[in-house]
Amino acid sequence: MDDTVTVDTPLAAATAPAPVTGRCFGDGDPLYERYHDEEWGVPVHGEEALFERIALEGFQSGLSWITVLRKRESFRAAFAGFDPQVVAGYDKHDVERLLADTGIVRNRQKIEATVANARALLALHAAGRTLDALFWSFAPDRTQHVRPASWADVPAVTPESRALARELKSLGFRFVGPTTAYAAMQACGLVDDHLAACPSVRG
């Protein structure tokens, strides 16, 4: 499905330029700080790692990212470490079990979409393709990119995220509209949207 609600990514959550000495986001919360410093915008490869990021971005739709981040280990336990072979085998009883799991976001559409996405990933593999190659084929050429000075300079959707969402949906993936796709591109390092004043950029 398309994005039908606001996606509150770390970028979307900010409305003003970051302080010169502060992170783009996450200051004051150790978990959020680690995510900003060590993961956000760092290239991610591998089928399970990318499957996890896509799933978590889908669960985050309409919520704050820190809410999902705090539940990440519970998500990993609930979805077998995001092993697509296991998750693809989940049935209606597993869906009901997950709907009762207070450690995750209990949303039927999102849970069912994650199971459907695991099955779509296995179908992709059966066709001789990988999610890694597919995902990274939509990384934009940023050789002339000017690093954003404020959140106002960071898009929520790009031509590449629209194309990625369209391709994923054509392959049976769900909850991957263009806004969610761009958030996943940011999270997986296809784009690096750290602000120019961010310590991660300035070293």
Side-chain angles (χ1 to χ4, degrees):
M1 62 182 290
D2 289 324
D3 299 322
T4 56
V5 294
T6 300
V7 176
D8 177 23
T9 62
L11 289 181
T15 57
V20 172
T21 58
R23 293 174 175 83
C24 301
F25 58 85
D27 278 337
D29 185 308
L31 180 64
Y32 218 3
E33 289 177 355
R34 284 197 303 275
Y35 177 74
H36 171 277
D37 295 351
E38 300 173 12
E39 291 192 62
W40 196 71
V42 176
V44 173
H45 290 280
E47 303 300 276
E48 291 180 10
L50 289 169
F51 176 43
E52 176 186 359
R53 301 309 199 283
I54 290 172
L56 293 182
E57 292 295 344
F59 273 103
Q60 181 266 333
S61 181
L63 304 171
S64 66
W65 175 245
I66 189 60
T67 296
V68 172
L69 197 59
R70 287 171 179 155
K71 294 176 178 287
R72 190 178 193 178
E73 292 308 315
S74 294
F75 274 114
R76 286 172 170 168
F79 289 99
F82 290 96
D83 181 337
Q85 291 279 356
V86 176
V87 179
Y90 282 9
D91 59 17
K92 63 181 181 180
H93 301 293
D94 291 297
V95 172
E96 295 303 321
R97 171 178 58 82
L98 293 173
L99 283 170
D101 187 342
T102 58
I104 67 170
V105 174
R106 295 179 290 172
N107 179 291
R108 182 180 295 274
Q109 285 186 313
K110 294 175 181 180
I111 291 169
E112 290 178 344
T114 302
V115 176
N117 290 350
R119 294 170 181 166
L121 178 51
L122 294 189
L124 186 71
H125 291 169
R129 304 174 66 189
T130 66
L131 182 60
D132 194 307
L134 183 157
F135 207 72
W136 278 89
S137 72
F138 290 92
D141 178 2
R142 284 201 157 188
T143 53
Q144 304 301 315
H145 177 65
V146 177
R147 189 171 291 281
S150 75
W151 304 125
D153 301 321
V154 180
V157 174
T158 65
E160 292 85 3
S161 78
R162 289 190 181 95
L164 174 58
R166 187 165 53 247
E167 176 70 5
L168 288 171
K169 280 190 254 185
S170 76
L171 294 167
F173 287 82
R174 292 158 53 183
F175 249 94
V176 285
T179 306
T180 296
Y182 191 67
M185 292 170 73
Q186 292 171 314
C188 296
L190 278 73
V191 295
D192 176 1
D193 281 335
H194 283 284
L195 303 184
C198 178
S200 292
V201 174
R202 295 184 288 112

